[in-house]
Amino acid sequence: MRHSPSQRSEMISQLLFGETVEVMEEKGKQWCKVRASCDNFIGWVETNQLKAITPSEFERFNTHFSYSLELVQPVMGTDHFIPITMGARLPEFDGIRFRLGEVFYTFSGQAVAPSDFKPSADFIVKLAKRYLNTPFLWGGRSPFGMDSPALVQMVFQMAGYKVPREAAAQIEIGDNIDFIENAQTGDLAFFENNQGRISHVGILMPEGKVIHCFGGVRIDKLDHYGIYDETRQLYSKRLRLIKRILPTIVPKVGVGELPEVESTGVQAELF
C-alpha cells in the first residue's frame, strides 16, 4: 500500500494474501485507493494485486477464514502455486483446501481459525517469537520485513484482537498500567521520540524483557526508563506508557517480575 498512486511513492503498509479491501477510488486502470477490512487503513495499491469478489464472498471471507502460521508456505492450485506468509488468510479453509473463484487451492502447513483458541499471553509470546530476526521494513507486515506496530498488529490479530496499524493509534486501546511492576506478559510498551511523539511499540515478555522490531525483530531488556541494548550498553528507546489488551492475570511471582503463563488446549498443540 502506497501513500499516493505511484511506484515511487512511500510504502505505508502491506496487504497479505487473503485480506479483503473496499475499493474507494480508481485512478486509470493501474491504481486503486482501498480501505483494508482488518484495520480500516487506507492507501493506494496496484489493480493487478487485487482480485474482485462478490459482496457475499466479501462477507464470508471476513468471518470464515484461517491464518497461516508458517513463515512461508505455498498454496497449491491445479497448475501453479502461490507462496504466502505468516498471517495470510485462507478464506473458508476446511483444513485442507479453500477456493478463490473457480480455482481450488490446498494448504498443508499449520493454520488456525480465530474461533479455535482462547487468546493467552503464552500464545501471544509464541507468535511474536516466530518473527524473530525479521528485518525492519517501514510499512512491512510480513516475515520478509516489518515495522514495530506491524509486529504488534499481526500477533494480536492472529490471537483474535483487532489492533490499529500505527503505534500512535494502538496506544489509544486497552487499559493503562501505571507502574511497570504491575505489568504482565503480553502487555504493550509504548516509547516516545525526542519530540515526545509515540514512535515505537513492543510486547512485554517474562523476566523483564520486550520483543520489538528495531533494526529487526529482537528481544531486549526493559525497565522503567526504557529498552536497554546490552550490545551497545545504552538505552535505545524511552518508555512512555504500558497498555493492557489481554485479561489481567493474577501474578504468582515476586514483585517486579512478569508472570509466566501456562499454555492450554489448541494453543499448546500449535507449536
Side-chain angles (χ1 to χ4, degrees):
M1 299 181 72
R2 298 189 180 276
H3 183 267
S4 59
S6 168
Q7 292 182 345
R8 295 183 178 182
S9 178
E10 174 189 22
M11 185 176 78
I12 54 176
S13 190
Q14 286 180 327
L15 295 171
L16 302 185
F17 180 88
E19 292 182 330
T20 59
V21 300
E22 173 191 355
V23 176
M24 304 173 63
E25 181 182 342
E26 296 183 25
K27 186 176 181 61
K29 295 182 179 180
Q30 186 177 0
W31 293 94
C32 290
K33 188 177 186 179
V34 300
R35 177 188 289 112
S37 303
C38 64
D39 55 15
N40 294 320
F41 200 76
I42 296 174
W44 289 88
V45 300
E46 292 186 82
T47 305
N48 59 13
Q49 295 179 309
L50 303 177
K51 178 179 177 60
I53 57 177
T54 66
S56 62
E57 287 176 325
F58 183 85
E59 292 185 12
R60 296 201 312 271
F61 290 0
N62 282 330
T63 53
H64 302 289
F65 63 89
S66 295
Y67 287 111
S68 169
L69 296 180
E70 304 290 347
L71 287 178
V72 182
Q73 180 81 9
V75 293
M76 307 295 295
T78 53
D79 57 359
H80 66 285
F81 71 87
I82 302 174
I84 66 171
T85 60
M86 185 170 171
R89 297 188 180 195
L90 310 175
E92 299 185 301
F93 183 58
D94 63 8
I96 300 176
R97 65 179 188 170
F98 63 93
R99 186 176 70 175
L100 284 177
E102 301 301 318
V103 180
F104 282 94
Y105 293 92
T106 59
F107 179 78
S108 58
Q110 278 191 322
V112 61
S115 59
D116 285 347
F117 56 84
K118 181 179 179 181
S120 73
D122 181 72
F123 188 51
I124 291 290
V125 169
K126 286 180 176 179
L127 284 173
K129 288 172 73 174
R130 284 203 167 187
Y131 284 107
L132 277 172
N133 299 312
T134 295
F136 174 83
L137 175 64
W138 179 261
R141 294 176 68 234
S142 85
F144 292 111
M146 63 182 2
D147 51 36
S148 65
L151 173 66
V152 169
Q153 183 193 48
M154 294 305 303
V155 168
F156 275 84
Q157 183 173 281
M158 286 185 281
Y161 291 88
K162 193 168 184 177
V163 175
R165 176 64 181 88
E166 297 174 308
Q170 292 174 356
I171 199 172
E172 300 298 328
I173 64 175
D175 299 318
N176 290 357
I177 304 301
D178 295 327
F179 302 101
I180 193 170
E181 291 80 6
N182 298 329
Q184 69 181 33
T185 301
D187 286 346
L188 300 183
F190 291 89
F191 306 88
E192 61 184 13
N193 59 20
N194 293 333
Q195 289 74 44
R197 298 176 181 174
I198 298 302
S199 59
H200 196 72
V201 61
I203 303 171
L204 270 63
M205 300 180 66
E207 302 176 353
K209 295 181 179 180
V210 62
I211 183 167
H212 63 125
C213 188
F214 181 61
V217 177
R218 53 187 287 171
I219 298 173
D220 285 307
K221 286 187 175 181
L222 176 72
D223 60 25
H224 68 281
Y225 185 80
I227 295 175
Y228 186 73
D229 185 338
E230 290 186 292
T231 302
R232 296 188 294 166
Q233 296 188 335
L234 53 78
Y235 283 93
S236 62
K237 298 292 180 181
R238 187 170 62 219
L239 182 64
R240 161 76 75 83
L241 185 64
I242 295 176
K243 301 294 289 277
R244 179 167 300 162
I245 297 177
L246 297 172
T248 298
I249 302 166
V250 178
K252 298 180 181 179
V253 296
V255 176
E257 298 178 3
L258 294 173
E260 294 276 8
V261 183
E262 294 182 0
S263 59
T264 57
V266 176
Q267 299 168 30
E269 298 172 3
L270 288 173
F271 298 93

